Amino acid sequence: MKKIKISMIGAGSGFVVSVARELAISKALSNCTFALMDINEKRLNKARAAVRNIFDANQTDVKMEATTSLEDALGNCDYVIASCEINRYPFWIRDIEIPERYGVCQIKGENGGPGGLIHAMRNISLFMDIIAAMEKHCPNAWLMNFTNPISILSTYFKNYSSIKTLSFCHQVHGSFGVIAEILGMDPGQLEVVSGGINHLNWLFDIRRKGKRESYMEEFLRKVRKSEYWKKKHEKVSRQEFTLEVLNTFGVYPIGYDD
């Protein structure tokens, strides 16, 4: 059986720890190779140490490699995980500040509006080289992307590349804590049905895993009664606008006010 190779582009990002934790406990992928790639050698070394600690603690057979070379990371690769940007936060600040000078005020400006579009053009330019390298070195591999703006990048991948792609965000998964707390359940008991695009997603149904009974109406009823959604709390994500959207359209938006 061919040994699976999974490469992570932008291994210096925080996502590498989450991926490594899952690989360390996966029976199906216990014999794979996990290749870390980042152009920043300092961040790469930090990621390598963190992943090694996770693998050692779980006594996994997953083999780890680390490189600053995109070509070496992609050679004979089956899956490519991308979580990469160049100077993310300095550019992000400018994405907000420049439109604001012309009267367009965005709270985040990451995925939509003028800030989101410039963000998209910047990251499309970054992914042009990654896609070209994949088409050369691993044309049959899947690209599994965490980089924003996901909706625009996914459209670019679909229209301008032969590479198979999927894009992911923890937005929906991140809502499980709020939903579980409201319903008095454990997040691990839940499964949700949602639809939309990244950072603009709607909750359609809530169920216990493996069960058909819906908890949607109970959740919405408790949301509308809870004080949490009706006022500002220090160091807690805002929710007043979320409640207003729910009461206006009758659908709960996944995420937070910003």
Side-chain angles (χ1 to χ4, degrees), residues 13-81:
S13 77
F15 279 110
V16 72
V17 170
S18 299
V19 174
R21 285 173 177 163
E22 295 301 321
L23 287 178
I25 61 175
S26 170
K27 293 181 180 179
L29 298 172
S30 61
N31 197 33
C32 74
T33 296
F34 188 36
L36 312 182
M37 184 271 160
D38 203 294
I39 60 174
N40 186 315
E41 193 164 1
K42 182 178 180 180
R43 292 177 67 111
L44 179 63
N45 289 335
K46 186 176 180 180
R48 175 165 44 191
V51 172
R52 173 50 57 204
N53 287 338
I54 293 169
F55 286 175
D56 288 347
N58 288 275
Q59 299 181 328
T60 180
D61 291 326
V62 176
K63 180 183 177 183
M64 182 179 63
E65 299 175 355
T67 180
T68 56
S69 167
L70 181 62
E71 290 73 18
D72 289 348
L74 296 179
N76 298 314
C77 193
D78 300 285
Y79 300 95
V80 178
I81 301 172

Side-chain angles (χ1 to χ4, degrees), residues 92-93 95-96 105-112 115-116 199 256 258:
W92 194 355
I93 291 171
D95 290 343
I96 295 172
C105 300
Q106 297 185 265
I107 295 175
K108 283 195 171 179
E110 185 181 19
N111 281 17
H199 291 200
Y256 301 101
D258 59 3

